[in-house]
Amino acid sequence: MSFKEYEFYLPIGYEDDKGVFHRKGKMRLATALDEIEINNSAQSKLKTRYRDCLLFSRVLESLGTLTEITPEIIENLYEADFIYLQMLYNKLNSDYNENVITKCPNCGHVNSTDLTDLFSELNFILEERESKI
């Protein structure tokens, strides 16, 4: 079975034991079996938040040069990266949408920004900047 995969860039990245940061990754869509097995796991019943670590270790196909993503790798992500993965997962696998609505104090114009898209745009800028160095 082939899965639809989506590329992403973590805001900070996973730092391995050699000090290398892994930011670019691929996440596949989750299956019902992913959710069922995670929900039946004894580990996820003990710690609600650990459920996402287990889930991400199943649906992340790669992270930088790493192709075997373990729960321990996910545990060691910075909080900003973990939250980003939660938002991306929800965006890809449900109709959940994390929008922030702001209003300009000068003109009154209302803006709506999807936080996952905002992270993606910021990462694109960072990638361009890094490639020029």
Side-chain angles (χ1 to χ4, degrees):
M1 172 186 260
S2 67
F3 294 98
K4 178 74 176 155
E5 293 180 344
Y6 295 88
E7 278 193 0
F8 64 85
Y9 289 89
L10 294 176
I12 300 170
Y14 168 71
E15 185 178 9
D16 66 20
D17 56 356
K18 296 177 184 166
V20 175
F21 280 85
H22 303 269
R23 292 185 57 226
K24 183 178 179 181
K26 289 184 183 176
M27 179 185 287
R28 68 169 173 79
L29 294 178
T31 64
L33 184 60
D34 291 324
E35 290 281 348
I36 291 167
E37 288 188 355
I38 296 304
N39 286 332
N40 287 335
S41 164
Q43 290 172 309
S44 70
K45 289 179 182 171
L46 294 175
K47 301 175 188 172
T48 311
R49 198 138 190 238
Y50 196 71
R51 176 193 177 281
D52 287 348
C53 290
L54 296 172
L55 186 58
F56 295 150
S57 70
R58 290 181 65 106
V59 298
L60 293 183
E61 297 292 316
S62 65
L63 187 55
T65 58
L66 308 173
T67 55
E68 186 177 332
I69 311 303
T70 64
E72 292 75 26
I73 289 172
I74 304 301
E75 290 171 8
N76 287 300
L77 289 174
Y78 288 98
E79 183 67 9
D81 293 333
F82 190 76
I83 291 170
Y84 172 79
L85 288 175
Q86 288 175 316
M87 288 189 309
L88 179 62
Y89 179 87
N90 288 331
K91 181 177 182 176
L92 296 176
N93 292 285
S94 70
D95 59 358
Y96 174 83
N97 206 350
E98 188 65 45
N99 283 319
V100 173
I101 298 173
T102 58
K103 183 177 180 180
C104 177
N106 294 326
C107 68
H109 180 76
V110 176
N111 296 300
S112 178
T113 303
D114 182 311
L115 291 179
T116 310
D117 291 341
L118 180 62
F119 272 124
S120 297
E121 290 172 26
L122 290 173
N123 284 322
F124 177 75
I125 293 167
L126 289 172
E127 287 297 313
E128 279 190 338
R129 212 179 269 168
E130 287 175 5
S131 69
K132 291 178 183 177
I133 294 177

